[in-house]
Amino acid sequence: MNGNNNKQRRVVVTGMGAVTPIGLTVAEFWKNAMEAKSGVGMITYFDSAQYDTKIAAELKGFDPLNYLERKEVNRMDPFARYGMACAGMAIKDSGLDLEKTDRDRIGVVFGSGIGGMLTWHQQMEVYYHGGGPQRISPFFVPMMIADIAAGHISMRYKLRGPNYATTSACATASHAIADAFMLIQRGNADVMVTGGSEAAITPMGIGGFNAMKALSTRNDAPEKASRPFDAQRNGFIMGEGAGILILEELEHALKRNARIYAEVGGVGLTADAHHITAPAPGGEGAVRSMRLSLQDAGVQPEDVEYINAHGTSTEFNDKSETQAIKTVFGDHAYKLFVSSTKSMTGHLLGAAGAIEAIVTIMAMVNDTIPPTINYEYPDPECDLNYVPNKFIKKEINVAISNTFGFGGHNATLLFKKYRQ
């Protein structure tokens, strides 16, 4: 990647939308994060009595009819509904007048780690219990495929620029944002609608991750279950929802007097090339991802003040990410602030990178660092400042957001406070 000195087009964030387990708008999400609220509770979507894990971070009070016609709801998997809800919020928030904007220059890169898992499950039940292939819905494939949310967003708003989905497990949304950033940089679009969505709190979703021993089984204390970097962590909590950023070329945004939340400074993308689920020793892939983001943005490690960690609350991830941060930042690692908002939202898999980018940007906008809740028992191998249990007021000019996915996918997004 080249440094910013070689780039002619700067990219800024001008709109955001989110539906999360702790809030169905960006404002509500941010408010509850500052109040250290947990979104984790008992699973209500299906009978989890036979499962080792009976808890998850579901959306509370989400009514798709607030965003879509009933006919549309019936023909979309929940992950697509979440994406459509966020798209409407983000576009409205950006203040874009689509009637006065060249829609050939507005694109959508919007991913999902899994796609329509509930639709797949329901149609398999139809197949096996309802009469074979003749009973499969004609909407099965267009509801299930992971790219369909990107397609729906483009169709709703007649956005005819670049359009596709990314899928890289838990790094999905960060890859989408990185791609959108680079598409604007190289002149393929002026505006990009980007982020990710996930709806995997399903019998097969929970069952599959239980089989991997990846989920917390702290069923007797759901709100305490997601505890990144804490010595008593015992797995991640499945979350669901979506997040969208409106990325815009700077001059395009300035011409219409858009509100600018932050500037996208740079991105770092690497592979571990090591193992299907375990991170590379010492977080080697994460190290290169963070370093590339710094290089891309043209900033020094000492310039970074806050890291929104991947911080899943799993044994391997938290230690590996801590090691990687120490390698990249040296002594500065003990001066910067690190927090995992998954302690409150759970892990939104393919949507995680988007809502964590949003909370990182909101931290810069408000000069306030969100906490890592449920941090009670320090782990000697995780010895950084994880902002335990309560937010901190601190001016933030440069921040990064890490996401790492099964398969060894690593993505780091670097944001800067916008300055002319």
Side-chain angles (χ1 to χ4, degrees):
M1 281 171 206
N2 296 320
N4 257 348
N5 290 337
N6 295 329
K7 296 166 187 168
Q8 296 182 344
R9 289 165 63 89
R10 295 168 65 186
V11 181
V12 293
V13 180
T14 56
M16 300 191 288
V19 291
T20 81
I22 59 169
L24 300 180
T25 64
V26 171
E28 187 181 10
F29 170 38
W30 176 250
K31 175 178 177 291
N32 285 331
M34 291 303 95
E35 294 178 358
K37 290 188 176 178
S38 169
V40 184
M42 303 305 291
I43 291 174
T44 64
Y45 292 169
F46 61 91
D47 182 358
S48 62
Q50 297 184 61
Y51 293 73
D52 292 337
T53 294
K54 309 176 196 309
I55 55 179
E58 299 175 343
L59 295 188
K60 287 86 176 171
F62 179 81
D63 183 351
L65 293 173
N66 290 336
Y67 313 95
L68 300 162
E69 299 295 327
R70 184 172 298 280
K71 187 176 180 180
E72 295 175 307
V73 171
N74 293 338
R75 294 178 178 180
M76 289 185 194
D77 185 89
F79 93 95
R81 299 173 194 164
Y82 302 159
M84 289 293 282
C86 284
M89 290 182 213
I91 291 172
K92 181 179 180 181
D93 186 51
S94 74
L96 276 167
D97 184 345
L98 295 178
E99 298 302 319
K100 297 179 179 177
T101 308
D102 182 358
R103 301 188 202 206
D104 291 354
R105 301 284 301 166
I106 305 177
V108 181
V109 181
F110 188 77
S112 179
I114 299 176
M117 181 170 260
L118 180 63
T119 297
W120 180 281
H121 180 88
Q122 290 173 336
Q123 289 299 302
M124 287 291 284
E125 286 193 327
V126 168
Y127 178 87
Y128 283 112
H129 302 296
Q134 288 73 28
R135 297 294 302 274
I136 295 174
S137 168
F139 294 101
F140 168 50
V141 171
M143 288 176 68
M144 177 269 297
I145 52 178
D147 67 311
I148 199 63
H152 279 302
I153 294 168
S154 71
M155 287 182 274
R156 164 66 64 89
Y157 298 101
K158 307 299 180 191
L159 309 179
R160 296 182 292 265
N163 187 287
Y164 57 92
T166 53
T167 295
S168 50
C170 308
T172 291
S174 293
H175 276 121
I177 295 166
D179 278 10
F181 167 61
M182 292 186 281
L183 284 166
I184 295 174
Q185 275 189 329
R186 64 176 291 153
N188 292 84
D190 295 324
V191 179
M192 293 296 298
V193 180
T194 185
S197 182
E198 205 74 87
I201 304 175
T202 70
M204 291 301 290
I206 297 295
F209 281 103
N210 260 167
M212 296 174 65
K213 308 297 184 187
L215 295 179
S216 171
T217 54
R218 201 182 298 266
N219 299 310
D220 58 342
E223 295 182 352
K224 294 280 190 180
S226 185
R227 40 196 320 119
F229 305 110
D230 183 275
Q232 294 193 359
R233 64 195 181 279
N234 70 344
F236 79 83
I237 294 294
M238 182 84 79
E240 63 172 353
I244 282 184
L245 306 180
I246 304 297
L247 302 191
E248 190 165 351
E249 192 273 327
L250 175 60
E251 295 303 320
H252 191 277
L254 292 176
K255 283 180 183 175
R256 65 182 188 85
N257 296 315
R259 173 186 50 192
I260 295 175
Y261 284 106
E263 179 169 3
V264 186
V267 300
L269 311 175
T270 66
D272 280 353
H274 171 67
H275 188 270
I276 56 173
T277 56
E284 187 274 338
V287 167
R288 287 184 292 114
S289 180
M290 285 188 274
R291 282 179 171 162
L292 284 171
S293 75
L294 301 179
Q295 178 185 336
D296 193 33
V299 304
Q300 299 302 310
E302 293 75 18
D303 296 329
V304 177
E305 293 142 317
Y306 171 57
I307 297 176
N308 187 286
H310 188 55
T312 56
S313 183
T314 60
E315 181 75 10
F316 287 126
N317 174 86
D318 294 357
K319 288 181 181 178
S320 173
E321 187 170 12
T322 298
Q323 288 178 309
I325 291 170
K326 291 179 186 177
T327 300
V328 173
F329 294 95
D331 291 342
H332 184 63
Y334 293 94
K335 299 175 183 173
L336 52 77
F337 297 87
V338 180
S339 68
S340 170
T341 41
K342 287 185 180 72
S343 58
M344 295 173 278
T345 65
H347 190 349
L348 275 69
L349 308 182
I355 67 162
E356 289 163 16
I358 289 170
V359 81
T360 302
I361 292 166
M362 290 296 286
M364 298 181 71
V365 169
N366 293 285
D367 287 324
T368 305
I369 300 173
T372 303
I373 71 167
N374 299 323
Y375 186 86
E376 298 175 304
Y377 303 97
D379 179 343
E381 295 187 69
C382 298
D383 57 351
L384 301 178
N385 183 351
Y386 302 108
V387 194
N389 303 312
K390 190 176 185 306
F391 72 82
I392 292 174
K393 291 294 291 183
K394 169 76 171 65
E395 182 179 2
I396 307 169
N397 295 290
V398 180
I400 65 174
S401 177
N402 282 330
T403 51
F404 312 128
F406 283 170
H409 315 297
N410 307 303
T412 301
L413 305 175
L414 187 148
F415 297 99
K416 300 192 295 187
K417 192 165 280 187
Y418 169 67
R419 302 188 193 288
Q420 290 185 341

